[in-house]
């Protein structure tokens, strides 16, 4: 196997394995938190859904990409490509939208109470699931064209205005469809990124300039957890914006050429999936609830292992 192919395959394999493991751990920890704790913060439900969206992205994009890099062919037929590409587009869209939702909800949570916010803050938990539903419907509608352009790879030359994903082709047929799709996806992404950057900037402003008010919120409303959550949110937003910038620089380049090199497409896949792979480890390292659940699970496994070892002796 060629050295470049080996490096690419190992990189995708590590990224996929780490991402699936991390998001599964975060998802299971938050599911346990939601079902066992009496009071659930909106940020807990949102982070749980973010882990699900990231897991969906990795399973539908990075797993088949890794298998293709290692030489597996004919993974999917036409219907399979349509389902996988549609699910991937929705998962990718939900990742940016839910990160934005997380930032906005956290900004509202730690903002000083005013006439309007005093009525909005108590209603936040009840708005989480309707917002989830709205984001799912929005992105299912925006991504509805993806199945119509997706197909299994064909033998021969890849046509112009076709994204060669290795395991599937996305054939836009003409330049107009190619550009309209790119503008629609990029427009949605830039709108949500702008909103998350604005709300995260507001969070930083509150944490920096109103430390006394934040300490007051800690004492009166348990704001210590909220402040830690706010810092986690800002870290996630910065992480997303960095990889979003790299992803969109490559995407804009891809819109300017009729035939996209597989190397360029692979680079975009790798960088666009970095957030989904790395974000769960930021959540685990900064969230005391998740750490506690992981530690508890590890302690429960230890006695059973000791018992098995004693029985073997």
């Amino acid at each position: 196997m060629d050295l470049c192919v080996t490096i690419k395959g190992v990189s995708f394999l590590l990224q996929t394995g780490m991402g699936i493991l991390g998001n599964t751990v975060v998802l299971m920890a938050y599911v346990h938190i939601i079902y066992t704790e009496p009071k659930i913060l909106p940020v807990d439900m949102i982070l749980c859904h973010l882990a699900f969206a990231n897991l969906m992205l990795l399973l539908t994009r990075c797993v088949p990409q890794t298998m293709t890099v290692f030489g597996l062919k004919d993974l999917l037929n036409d219907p399979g490509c349509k389902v996988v590409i549609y699910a991937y587009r929705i998962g990718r869209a939900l990742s940016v939208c839910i990160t934005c939702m997380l930032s906005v909800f956290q900004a509202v949570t730690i903002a000083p109470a005013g006439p309007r916010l005093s009525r909005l803050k108590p209603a936040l938990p009840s708005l989480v699931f309707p917002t989830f539903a709205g984001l799912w419907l929005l992105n299912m509608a925006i991504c509805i064209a993806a199945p119509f352009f997706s197909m299994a790879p064909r033998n021969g030359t890849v046509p112009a205005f076709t994204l060669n994903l290795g395991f599937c082709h996305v054939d836009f047929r003409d330049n107009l469809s190619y550009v309209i799709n790119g503008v629609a996806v990029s427009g949605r992404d830039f709108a949500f990124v702008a909103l998350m950057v604005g709300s995260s900037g507001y969070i930083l402003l509150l944490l920096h300039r109103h430390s006394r008010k934040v300490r007051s919120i800690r004492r009166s409303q348990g704001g210590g957890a909220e402040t830690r959550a706010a810092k986690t949110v800002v870290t996630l937003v910065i992480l997303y914006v960095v990889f979003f910038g790299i992803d969109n620089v490559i995407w804009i380049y891809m819109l300017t050429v009729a035939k996209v090199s597989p190397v360029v497409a692979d680079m975009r896949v790798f960088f666009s999936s970095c957030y989904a792979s790395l974000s769960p480890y930021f959540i685990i390292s900064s969230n005391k609830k998740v750490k506690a659940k992981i530690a508890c699970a590890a302690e429960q496994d230890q006695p059973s292992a000791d018992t098995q070892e004693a029985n073997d002796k």
Side-chain angles (χ1 to χ4, degrees), residues 11-23:
S11 299
F12 274 116
L13 184 62
L14 290 174
Q15 183 189 59
T16 304
M18 288 178 58
I20 291 175
L21 175 63
N23 283 292

Side-chain angles (χ1 to χ4, degrees), residues 191-264:
F192 278 100
V193 168
L195 184 56
M196 78 168 73
V197 169
S199 56
S200 297
Y202 179 65
I203 291 172
L204 287 174
L205 186 66
L206 288 176
L207 294 178
H208 180 67
R209 295 186 177 181
H210 304 288
S211 58
R212 292 183 180 179
K213 291 183 180 180
V214 171
R215 285 197 295 269
S216 175
I217 293 172
R218 280 186 181 180
R219 290 191 296 268
S220 61
Q221 301 178 6
E226 292 173 355
T227 302
R228 287 193 300 272
K231 293 178 180 178
T232 301
V233 169
V234 172
T235 302
L236 288 174
V237 169
I238 293 172
L239 184 69
Y240 186 88
V241 169
V242 168
F243 290 117
F244 173 82
I246 299 173
D247 176 22
N248 276 272
V249 167
I250 300 174
W251 176 238
I252 291 170
Y253 165 76
M254 291 169 67
L255 289 176
T256 64
V257 297
K259 291 186 179 180
V260 179
S261 166
V263 175
V264 175

Side-chain angles (χ1 to χ4, degrees), residues 158-311:
V158 178
F161 310 112
T162 298
L163 297 180
N164 181 7
L165 307 180
F167 58 93
C168 290
H169 286 175
V170 183
D171 182 7
F172 292 101
R173 296 181 177 85
D174 55 58
N175 184 59
L176 181 62
S177 300
Y178 190 54
V179 172
I180 289 175
N181 175 78
V183 170
V185 172
S186 297
R188 176 205 59 205
D189 290 352
F190 276 105
F192 278 100
V193 168
L195 184 56
M196 78 168 73
V197 169
S199 56
S200 297
Y202 179 65
I203 291 172
L204 287 174
L205 186 66
L206 288 176
L207 294 178
H208 180 67
R209 295 186 177 181
H210 304 288
S211 58
R212 292 183 180 179
K213 291 183 180 180
V214 171
R215 285 197 295 269
S216 175
I217 293 172
R218 280 186 181 180
R219 290 191 296 268
S220 61
Q221 301 178 6
E226 292 173 355
T227 302
R228 287 193 300 272
K231 293 178 180 178
T232 301
V233 169
V234 172
T235 302
L236 288 174
V237 169
I238 293 172
L239 184 69
Y240 186 88
V241 169
V242 168
F243 290 117
F244 173 82
I246 299 173
D247 176 22
N248 276 272
V249 167
I250 300 174
W251 176 238
I252 291 170
Y253 165 76
M254 291 169 67
L255 289 176
T256 64
V257 297
K259 291 186 179 180
V260 179
S261 166
V263 175
V264 175
D266 288 339
M267 287 175 59
R268 185 177 181 232
V269 173
F270 183 82
F271 284 113
S272 65
S273 304
C274 281
Y275 175 74
S277 298
L278 297 177
S279 60
Y281 296 98
F282 281 92
I283 295 171
I284 292 170
S285 64
S286 60
N287 191 293
K288 289 187 175 181
K289 288 183 180 180
V290 175
K291 280 184 182 178
K293 294 299 178 183
I294 295 173
C296 181
E299 289 174 0
Q300 288 177 352
D301 288 342
Q302 187 64 36
S304 60
D306 293 342
T307 303
Q308 182 65 37
E309 185 179 347
N311 290 337

Side-chain angles (χ1 to χ4, degrees), residues 28-45 225 228 287-294 296:
M28 298 305 295
Y30 271 117
V31 167
H32 192 265
I33 289 169
I34 290 170
Y35 278 100
T36 57
E37 295 195 3
K39 181 182 178 182
I40 306 298
L41 295 173
V43 68
D44 293 329
M45 292 183 281
R228 287 193 300 272
N287 191 293
K288 289 187 175 181
K289 288 183 180 180
V290 175
K291 280 184 182 178
K293 294 299 178 183
I294 295 173
C296 181

Side-chain angles (χ1 to χ4, degrees), residues 35-220:
Y35 278 100
T36 57
E37 295 195 3
K39 181 182 178 182
I40 306 298
L41 295 173
V43 68
D44 293 329
M45 292 183 281
I46 297 172
L47 286 173
C48 179
H49 204 98
L50 177 62
F52 174 78
N54 287 337
L55 192 59
M56 181 176 170
L57 182 156
L58 291 165
L59 290 174
T60 56
R61 190 66 171 95
C62 292
V63 170
Q65 186 77 29
T66 304
M67 296 171 71
T68 301
V69 169
F70 281 108
L72 295 177
K73 298 181 179 179
D74 302 323
L75 294 176
L76 300 167
N77 55 16
D78 283 353
C81 277
K82 294 179 187 298
V83 171
V84 168
I85 296 301
Y86 188 48
Y88 161 69
R89 291 289 183 90
I90 293 174
R92 181 185 179 280
L94 286 174
S95 183
V96 59
C97 293
I98 293 173
T99 304
C100 176
M101 175 185 174
L102 179 65
S103 181
V104 172
F105 270 58
Q106 196 60 39
V108 173
T109 299
I110 70 168
R116 295 180 181 178
L117 288 181
S118 60
R119 294 192 298 270
L120 179 59
K121 284 188 176 187
L124 279 182
S126 64
L127 294 175
V128 172
F129 287 107
T131 305
F132 285 157
L135 292 177
W136 272 90
L137 292 173
L138 171 67
N139 290 302
M140 288 173 70
I142 292 177
C143 301
I144 194 63
F148 297 102
F149 297 118
S150 304
M151 62 184 71
R154 302 290 193 263
N155 293 327
T157 305
V158 178
F161 310 112
T162 298
L163 297 180
N164 181 7
L165 307 180
F167 58 93
C168 290
H169 286 175
V170 183
D171 182 7
F172 292 101
R173 296 181 177 85
D174 55 58
N175 184 59
L176 181 62
S177 300
Y178 190 54
V179 172
I180 289 175
N181 175 78
V183 170
V185 172
S186 297
R188 176 205 59 205
D189 290 352
F190 276 105
F192 278 100
V193 168
L195 184 56
M196 78 168 73
V197 169
S199 56
S200 297
Y202 179 65
I203 291 172
L204 287 174
L205 186 66
L206 288 176
L207 294 178
H208 180 67
R209 295 186 177 181
H210 304 288
S211 58
R212 292 183 180 179
K213 291 183 180 180
V214 171
R215 285 197 295 269
S216 175
I217 293 172
R218 280 186 181 180
R219 290 191 296 268
S220 61

